[in-house]
Amino acid sequence: ATSERYYRERSRTVCYLSAEYLLGPHLGSVLDNLGLLEEARSAMAALGHNLDALLAEEAEPGLGNGGLGRLAACFMDALATLQVPTIGYGIRYEFGIFEQAIRDGWQVELTDKWLARGNPWEIARPEITFDVALGGHTEPSTDAAGRYRVRWAPERVVRGVAYDTMIAGYRVDTTNMLRLWKAEAVQSFDIQSFNRGDYWAAVEDKVDSENITKVLYPNDEPAAGKRLRLEQQYFFVSCSLRDMIRIFLQRDADLTALPAKYAVQLNDTHPAIAVAELMRLLVDEHGMDWEPAWQVTRATFAYTNHTLLAEALETWPVALLGAVLPRHLEIIYEINRRFLAEVHERFPGDDGRIRRLSLIDETGERRVRMAHLAVTGSHAVNGVARLHSTLLAGTVLRDFAELWPERFHNVTNGVTPRRFLAQANPRLAALLTEAAGDGWQTDMQRLRQLEPLADDPAFQQRWRAARRSNRIDLAAVVRNRTGVTIDPDALLDVQVKRIHEYKRQHLNVLRLITLHQRLRGGLEPDAPPRTVLFAGKSAPGYRMAKLVIKLIHAVAATVNSDQLTNDRLRVVFLPDYNVKHAMPVLAAADLSEQISTAGMEASGTGNMKLAMNGALTIGTLDGANVEIREAVGAEHFFLFGLRAEEVAARRAAGYAPQEEAARDAELAEALQLLAAGAYSRGDTELFRPLVEPLRSHDPYLVLADYRAYVDTQRAVGRVYADAARWTRMSILTTARSGYFSADRAISDYCRTIWGIGDREETSA
C-alpha cells in the first residue's frame, strides 16, 4: 500500500546509499512499531512461553559494524515513522564483520553466521537483477552524430540479486523498503569443465562472484582485500543506481528529471564511486551529453561526511581503480580536468590550491580521493555534529568550503528513541509515559514535562528503583557472559564503543590503575563502589586496538582478584558488543564515558543513547558532546580536557608528553606499573608497544588530559554519593535529550538537504 501511494503521488524518494545497516533484531522492534508488543507478550504467555526469551533467540543481522551502520538503521526507522518515501540500498553480506570472542584477554574473530538459520524478514526478488561489469578495457568511438562515445569491454560480469527487508514506521500506515544486493555468478556451474574432471573450474566463477558479498569489510591489508573491497562498493552502487533508473523509466522517459524523483544520500565515502557510475550510466548507457549529465548528477547526490581522520577518508590507488573500473577512472579524470579548470579560473596561479583540491593525490603513489569525488559530485555536503561540521569546513575540506560555501551544512545525528529507550528500558519508559503521557516516542519534546518532577522525592525514588532493577538485570547478563560478579548498587561507569586510540580507552585504563592504587593506599576512603564496564570491537588488523583490549583484561584480572579493593572496584569487558547486547547496558548505565581527543570524533551516537536513558556524561568537548552539554545543562555534564583548538595548538607547539609524566607523580606511577609488568604477571614486554608511544609522542594527547580526567572522576564520585542530586541530574538529562532523536535529524535532512516537504521538528 505504501509503494502504491508513493507511485500514485509521484513522491520524491530518498535513496540512502550505505555500506552498513546495523539493524539489530527485528521482532521486538516490529511488534512495538505495530503496537502489538503487549498483545504478543500475552499471547505467548497463554501458550506457556516467554516473549523475552523468544526475542533473545533472534540472530542479529550482520550488516553493520558500529556507529555508521547503526545511524543508517535509526534513519530508516525515522524515515518510515515520518512517512518519507524512502528506499535504503546496501549489501546483503553473507557473514557479518565477525563475532568477538575473548581468549586469554585477546580478541579472537569468529565467523558471524547470521544467515545460518535463514532470514525470515527478507523477501527474495529474483526478478530484479543487474549484471555488473568488472575489469577489462575501454574502446573509444564516434557515433553517427559525430559524438565521442566509449564502450566498456569487461573482463568479468557479476550478477546482483535484490533482497528486500520491510521497515515499518512507528504506529503509522507506512512501510519503507531496505533493498540489499547479493552477488551471484552469471553462470554458476560450468558443466563442460566438470565433465573434463576440472571440478574447481566448474565452480570457480560462482566462488569468485559470491565473494563480493561474502563478508562485511574484508581485511584490506593484502592487495586482494583492497580489490575485493573496491569491487564490493562498486557492485552495490551500480545495482542501486540502475534500480533507481529502472523504476524511473516505468513512467518517465526524460532522465534529466531524475533529481526531481530521487534525492540520493551518500553515507560516507563508501558509495562515492556512485558519482562516476551515474555519469557512466547517463553518458554511455543512455546517450546523454556530458554537461546535462553532470547537472543531473550534482542535483541528485548529497554527501554526509562522518570523519576527520585522514585514514578514514578513502582513497584508491589509481592503478587498482583503473584495473577494476577502467571506464570510471577515465570519467574521474574528465571530472577532475573540468573541475580544476574551474578552480584555476576562480584562483589563477594558486597551484597549491589546485594540488589540494585535485581528485587525484599526486604525492607518492597516485591515488583517487573519494571524498573529493563525493564533494565535487554533490549539491550538498554535511557534517554530523556542529563542531564536526565546523572543523570539516575549516580543515579537511577547507578548500572546498571556500570554493562552494553554500553547499556545506550541519545535520547533527540522532538515534531512535523507540528502540534505544522504549524497548531497551521498559521500566524507565513506563515512568516516562506516566509522567509525560503517551506519544513521547515520536515527540521527544514532551519529555520536558519531567523537569518539574526532578526534585520530587517520590518520583526520584521510583527513578532510582527502576535503574537499580536494570542494574540487577545487567549483573545477571555480565555473570552469564563473563563469569564476573558485579554489585548492582555500585556506580556503573561504561565505555562502550569501537576500540580505537582516538576514543582513548587506554586513558580510562590509566585512570583505573591510579584509582586502584589509591584504594590500596587508603587514599580515597569516601569513593563510592564502582563497576567500570568496557565493550567494543577492534578492527581485525588494528594491532594497537587489540592490545588495548588485552590491557583492559589484564587490569581487570588484577583488580578483580585484589581482596583489598574488589568490594569497591570491579572491571569487566563485555564481549561481542552489538545492538542486542547494548540494550541492557544502555538501560543500566550511570556514567557515560565520551572521552575522545577533542576534534577527533565526528559525532558519536552512543553518547545520545546513554543520555536518553539517564546516564550522566563525562567527556571532552568533542563531536555531539558539545550539543549534549548545551541541551542538558553544563552543570549536569562532567567536562574535562583540552578543547579542539587547544589540541591543535599543543600539537603545533611541539607537544612533549614526557613532560606531562615528569610533573605528575600519579601518571608516572601508572605508566611505570604498566611497563614493569604489575598488571601483566611480571611481563615487561607485553604493553611496551602501548606505553612507549605514550611517553614519546602520544598522538591522541592521553597524557595531556590525564590529570583533568582523574580529578573530574573524583568529582563524579562525590556527586554520586549524593543520591538526590545525582537522580535529579539523571532525570533532567533524559528530559532534555529530545533534540537527539533521529526524527529531528531526518526532519533537518528533509528541509536543508533533500528539499522534501516542510516537516515539523516534532522532537526538537
Side-chain angles (χ1 to χ4, degrees):
T2 301
S3 181
E4 289 175 359
R5 184 172 78 249
Y6 292 164
Y7 184 84
R8 184 175 64 253
E9 296 175 357
R10 292 177 173 261
S11 303
R12 192 179 195 213
T13 300
V14 174
C15 293
Y16 202 76
L17 296 186
S18 179
E20 293 186 41
Y21 290 92
L22 194 57
L23 298 168
H26 287 283
L27 181 57
S29 181
V30 171
L31 287 172
D32 191 37
N33 283 4
L34 296 177
L36 296 173
L37 191 60
E38 292 313 310
E39 287 87 341
R41 194 180 304 281
S42 298
M44 291 293 292
L47 294 170
H49 294 288
N50 182 292
L51 178 61
D52 293 328
L54 176 67
L55 296 178
E57 286 295 313
E58 184 177 353
E60 180 157 329
L63 300 171
N65 176 30
L68 182 79
R70 188 51 241 176
L71 180 76
C74 284
F75 280 2
M76 289 299 294
D77 175 90
L79 285 157
T81 298
L82 293 174
Q83 304 188 79
V84 178
T86 303
I87 304 173
Y89 284 109
I91 301 174
R92 182 184 180 271
Y93 302 103
E94 183 177 347
F95 302 108
I97 186 164
F98 59 86
E99 288 185 1
Q100 181 192 53
I102 302 297
R103 294 178 185 164
D104 190 30
W106 293 98
Q107 171 180 292
V108 177
E109 298 90 30
L110 305 177
T111 305
D112 177 11
K113 302 176 182 177
W114 75 279
L115 286 171
R117 292 189 288 179
N119 178 12
W121 299 102
E122 69 183 7
I123 301 168
R125 302 296 302 273
E127 74 280 12
I128 300 176
T129 66
F130 297 98
D131 288 350
V132 178
L134 295 166
H137 63 277
T138 61
E139 299 171 353
S141 63
T142 304
D143 67 13
R147 295 179 301 180
Y148 178 77
R149 294 297 180 205
V150 176
R151 187 181 79 86
W152 180 8
E155 178 186 10
R156 54 192 276 251
V157 175
V158 176
R159 180 159 294 160
V161 182
Y163 285 75
D164 294 344
T165 299
M166 301 299 115
I167 307 295
Y170 182 80
R171 313 291 166 88
V172 294
D173 294 329
T174 292
T175 297
N176 283 333
M177 182 175 70
L178 173 60
R179 177 159 287 172
L180 305 175
W181 301 102
K182 177 186 177 183
E184 295 183 353
V186 175
Q187 179 178 327
S188 61
F189 186 74
D190 184 349
I191 188 66
Q192 294 182 6
S193 295
F194 186 85
N195 287 337
R196 289 196 305 268
D198 192 348
Y199 303 132
W200 168 248
V203 296
E204 183 178 11
D205 189 36
K206 174 181 172 65
V207 172
D208 286 348
S209 298
E210 292 182 358
N211 275 344
I212 289 178
T213 55
K214 188 66 71 176
V215 65
L216 168 65
Y217 294 157
N219 186 355
D220 62 357
E221 287 187 313
K226 288 184 173 64
R227 184 184 185 105
L228 181 57
R229 194 179 283 204
L230 176 59
E231 290 178 348
Q232 196 174 68
Q233 292 178 4
Y234 173 65
F235 165 80
F236 104 84
V237 159
S238 180
C239 290
S240 303
L241 289 174
R242 290 157 73 190
D243 192 49
M244 294 176 214
I245 292 173
R246 176 189 66 83
I247 296 169
F248 178 88
L249 293 176
Q250 289 175 355
R251 66 185 307 162
D252 293 288
D254 182 8
L255 283 169
T256 60
L258 197 68
K261 170 62 179 172
Y262 295 120
V264 181
Q265 193 70 29
L266 304 175
N267 191 31
D268 217 355
T269 53
H270 307 120
I273 195 65
V275 172
E277 172 66 356
L278 184 55
M279 285 297 292
R280 186 191 72 82
L281 291 169
L282 295 176
V283 173
D284 293 356
E285 302 292 332
H286 294 277
M288 196 179 290
D289 288 336
W290 183 278
E291 283 302 332
W294 186 238
Q295 291 173 12
V296 167
T297 297
R298 270 192 171 174
T300 299
F301 288 120
Y303 163 54
T304 300
N305 174 280
H306 285 277
T307 185
L308 298 168
L309 300 178
E311 66 268 24
L313 288 172
E314 281 190 316
T315 63
W316 293 109
V318 165
L320 174 62
L321 199 144
V324 177
L325 303 171
R327 178 57 179 145
H328 297 75
L329 183 59
E330 293 175 352
I331 290 170
I332 290 168
Y333 279 150
E334 182 61 15
I335 292 171
N336 199 40
R337 184 187 69 79
R338 293 170 182 248
F339 167 55
L340 293 183
E342 179 184 345
V343 174
H344 180 74
E345 188 175 329
R346 286 274 303 275
F347 303 97
D350 194 342
D351 293 339
R353 185 184 299 266
I354 287 175
R355 280 194 300 273
R356 294 192 304 271
L357 282 169
S358 175
L359 274 58
I360 311 298
D361 183 356
E362 306 280 356
T363 59
E365 180 187 30
R366 299 174 71 240
R367 303 179 73 90
V368 179
R369 296 161 162 162
M370 301 309 287
H372 289 210
L373 178 64
V375 174
T376 306
S378 298
H379 68 272
V381 179
N382 72 278
V384 290
R386 195 172 66 227
L387 175 63
H388 170 236
S389 296
T390 299
L391 293 172
L392 190 67
T395 58
V396 177
L397 298 178
R398 176 179 176 179
D399 292 305
F400 284 102
E402 290 178 356
L403 185 66
W404 298 312
E406 71 284 356
R407 294 191 193 180
F408 281 75
H409 307 269
N410 174 61
V411 180
T412 298
N413 283 343
V415 300
T416 172
R418 271 83 63 180
R419 184 183 287 270
F420 291 113
L421 181 48
Q423 294 164 40
N425 201 342
R427 294 186 183 96
L428 201 65
L431 270 182
L432 300 181
T433 300
E434 183 181 320
D438 203 12
W440 59 265
Q441 297 91 336
T442 55
D443 184 4
M444 289 283 282
Q445 180 68 20
R446 295 191 185 191
L447 293 187
R448 286 278 183 174
Q449 295 177 46
L450 292 174
E451 293 195 31
L453 296 171
D455 292 303
D456 183 323
F459 189 77
Q460 282 197 359
Q461 179 58 37
R462 295 177 68 195
W463 189 272
R464 283 194 294 271
R467 297 188 60 78
R468 185 177 189 276
S469 295
N470 291 340
R471 288 196 297 273
I472 291 172
D473 289 349
L474 178 64
V477 171
V478 169
R479 187 169 56 253
N480 290 337
R481 301 195 63 230
T482 70
V484 177
T485 300
I486 61 174
D487 178 2
D489 291 313
L491 189 163
L492 183 60
D493 175 346
V494 308
Q495 188 174 14
V496 288
K497 53 183 74 247
R498 186 164 46 91
I499 309 297
H500 198 292
E501 289 171 275
Y502 87 82
K503 295 179 185 288
R504 301 201 295 189
Q505 285 90 353
H506 47 334
L507 172 59
N508 195 343
V509 174
L510 287 175
R511 180 269 308 208
L512 281 174
I513 292 172
T514 295
L515 177 58
H516 181 225
Q517 294 303 314
R518 284 180 174 179
L519 292 174
R520 285 183 61 81
L523 300 179
E524 287 207 22
D526 298 326
R530 187 184 296 234
T531 297
V532 182
L533 185 149
F534 295 87
K537 295 179 180 179
S538 161
Y542 192 174
R543 295 177 182 85
M544 191 65 81
K546 285 187 166 184
L547 187 59
V548 168
I549 293 175
K550 175 63 176 176
L551 172 67
I552 293 167
H553 282 88
V555 171
T558 302
V559 169
N560 295 345
S561 62
D562 189 338
Q563 298 298 317
L564 284 176
T565 63
N566 63 12
D567 60 334
R568 299 180 62 199
L569 179 63
R570 289 274 171 146
V571 181
V572 63
F573 187 96
L574 196 64
D576 201 33
Y577 192 65
N578 56 23
V579 176
K580 184 190 295 188
H581 296 151
M583 304 290 258
V585 176
L586 297 174
D590 293 309
L591 186 67
S592 166
E593 298 269 356
Q594 308 298 330
I595 61 175
S596 53
T597 311
M600 304 296 287
E601 184 76 81
S603 166
T605 53
N607 48 5
M608 301 171 185
K609 296 164 194 166
L610 286 158
M612 280 184 182
N613 282 277
L616 305 187
T617 305
I618 181 170
T620 55
L621 282 183
D622 196 27
N625 290 354
V626 176
E627 290 152 277
I628 289 174
R629 182 170 179 262
E630 290 177 1
V632 305
E635 68 276 20
H636 306 133
F637 186 106
F638 296 101
L639 177 67
F640 78 94
L642 300 170
R643 275 60 167 173
E645 61 274 15
E646 294 171 330
V647 168
R650 290 288 290 273
R651 285 172 170 161
Y655 169 56
Q658 59 273 19
E659 295 177 4
E660 302 289 341
R663 59 173 165 257
D664 191 318
E666 286 190 311
L667 173 57
E669 180 189 32
L671 292 169
Q672 181 55 34
L673 286 169
L674 270 185
Y679 290 88
S680 52
R681 301 173 184 171
D683 187 341
T684 59
E685 294 299 315
L686 179 59
F687 296 122
R688 182 186 296 275
L690 196 151
V691 173
E692 290 307 316
L694 286 176
R695 286 171 163 167
S696 61
H697 57 284
D698 187 16
Y700 300 102
L701 282 83
V702 170
L703 305 194
D705 277 346
Y706 164 87
R707 175 48 51 191
Y709 180 52
V710 168
D711 291 346
T712 305
Q713 285 284 12
R714 292 193 73 180
V716 167
R718 289 193 294 269
V719 175
Y720 188 78
D722 184 341
R725 181 183 176 190
W726 185 277
T727 306
R728 179 180 186 274
M729 294 168 71
S730 175
I731 294 168
L732 290 175
T733 296
T734 295
R736 296 170 180 177
S737 63
Y739 179 78
F740 304 101
S741 168
D743 298 346
R744 187 273 314 154
I746 289 301
S747 295
D748 286 355
Y749 274 103
C750 286
R751 186 179 63 256
T752 64
I753 307 292
W754 301 329
I756 295 178
D758 184 20
R759 301 191 174 271
E760 297 294 325
E761 292 186 31
T762 57
S763 51

